[in-house]
């Protein structure tokens, strides 16, 4: 009889522990950086959105071919679940603060806003900015 009650008590403890484990929420990693991580730095273009993005250690330059570009100075970066939040500002006579949300969904691909970008070399990036041609294939 004593063994049966011990077994029942053990079964109750195990089932209670299982119930607590399954009811816990999923913990997500959250990291803060003081500069842009190496994995995100580089030259990116988006032919479909006719846009380009250059990401360096402390700056993001966003611009269109044969047009203006904007320089965002990065203050800090928050990272969680493949999404980077770049807290930055732009100087246009006064500081305006922005948070750029970049989804790094593949090794050489990012999404910012509604545009999908892919990483290219420095030469292809500047060729895209200076000689934009919608029929040219920039992937080669």
């Amino acid at each position: 009889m004593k063994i049966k009650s011990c077994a029942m008590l053990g079964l109750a403890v195990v089932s209670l522990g299982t119930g607590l484990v399954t009811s816990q929420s999923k913990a997500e990693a959250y990291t803060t950086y003081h500069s842009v991580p190496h994995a995100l730095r580089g030259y990116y273009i988006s032919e479909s959105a006719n846009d380009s993005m250059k990401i360096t250690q402390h700056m993001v330059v966003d611009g269109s071919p044969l047009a203006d570009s904007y320089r965002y100075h990065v203050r800090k970066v928050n990272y969680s679940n493949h999404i980077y939040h770049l807290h930055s500002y732009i100087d246009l006579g006064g500081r305006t603060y922005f948070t750029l949300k970049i989804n790094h969904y593949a090794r050489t691909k990012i999404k910012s806003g509604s545009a999908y970008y892919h990483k290219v070399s420095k030469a292809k990036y500047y060729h895209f900015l200076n000689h934009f041609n919608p029929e040219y294939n920039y992937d080669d």
Side-chain angles (χ1 to χ4, degrees):
M1 193 73 176
K2 198 172 197 182
I3 294 174
K4 187 176 180 182
S5 63
C6 287
M8 293 299 274
L9 179 64
L11 184 60
V13 169
V14 169
S15 63
L16 178 65
T18 305
L20 290 176
V21 169
T22 57
S23 66
Q24 289 180 351
S25 63
K26 184 175 78 173
E28 295 186 20
Y30 183 82
T31 309
T32 301
Y33 300 101
H34 295 289
S35 64
V36 178
H38 286 280
L40 201 58
R41 296 180 199 170
Y43 300 92
Y44 297 90
I45 60 173
S46 173
E47 293 95 3
S48 61
N50 191 24
D51 204 3
S52 66
M53 189 177 291
K54 175 180 153 183
I55 302 174
T56 62
Q57 185 176 6
H58 295 287
M59 192 172 297
V60 175
V61 180
D62 186 18
S64 298
L66 305 172
D68 292 337
S69 61
Y70 298 99
R71 295 174 183 258
Y72 299 96
H73 302 274
V74 178
R75 297 180 310 128
K76 71 176 182 176
V77 179
N78 293 332
Y79 171 76
S80 178
N81 203 18
H82 300 288
I83 296 176
Y84 292 89
H85 290 91
L86 282 68
H87 300 278
S88 56
Y89 65 90
I90 189 168
D91 269 326
L92 294 173
R95 284 191 178 179
T96 306
Y97 293 92
F98 290 95
T99 299
L100 301 171
K101 181 179 173 185
I102 296 177
N103 184 353
H104 192 213
Y105 66 94
R107 184 172 174 255
T108 60
K109 296 179 181 180
I110 62 173
K111 180 181 183 257
S112 178
S114 61
Y116 290 89
Y117 297 86
H118 64 277
K119 193 178 252 188
V120 295
S121 67
K122 184 177 181 180
K124 287 182 184 176
Y125 172 79
Y126 283 108
H127 185 270
F128 176 77
L129 288 178
N130 296 323
H131 306 94
F132 177 68
N133 182 358
E135 297 170 2
Y136 182 77
N137 186 4
Y138 293 95
D139 292 330
D140 296 333

